[in-house]
Amino acid sequence: MRPAEKLNNVGLKATTPRLKVLQIFHASERRHLTAEEVHRSMVEQHADAGLATVYRVLGQLTDVGILSRNLFESGKAVYERRCMGCHGQNG
């Protein structure tokens, strides 16, 4: 399923920041990413989104079940794609 369709299916508009965040998670070799790492990747790709926007998008994608958020004892939150049907259909 295309990212825009995935967003529409959960009631979110396919905005540029949301699509970019999904692209970053899909392309990442790392399973877990912090908001700061996502933001840094966006800056490196010349995407115009501030850290507050990244946090907002991560929260929205977590709320609808595309991403999951894990909080460590240090207080650091990391995000990862949720397995939606697995086998090539990851969030």
Side-chain angles (χ1 to χ4, degrees), residues 41-88:
S41 183
M42 291 179 81
V43 169
E44 289 169 359
Q45 297 175 28
H46 307 288
D48 186 25
L51 184 57
T53 298
V54 171
Y55 272 106
R56 187 170 40 257
V57 169
L58 291 171
Q60 293 165 344
L61 296 177
T62 299
D63 288 346
V64 297
I66 293 174
L67 299 178
S68 63
R69 178 178 181 260
N70 298 298
L71 188 61
F72 292 105
E73 286 183 26
S74 66
K76 195 72 161 176
V78 294
Y79 299 84
E80 66 180 317
R81 292 187 300 165
R82 292 201 48 197
C83 183
M84 304 179 96
C86 294
H87 305 293

Side-chain angles (χ1 to χ4, degrees), residues 6 10 14 18 23 27 29 33 35 46 51 58 89:
K6 187 174 293 186
V10 296
R18 289 178 184 146
Q23 176 191 9
E29 294 178 7
L33 296 171
H46 307 288
L51 184 57
L58 291 171
Q89 297 180 13

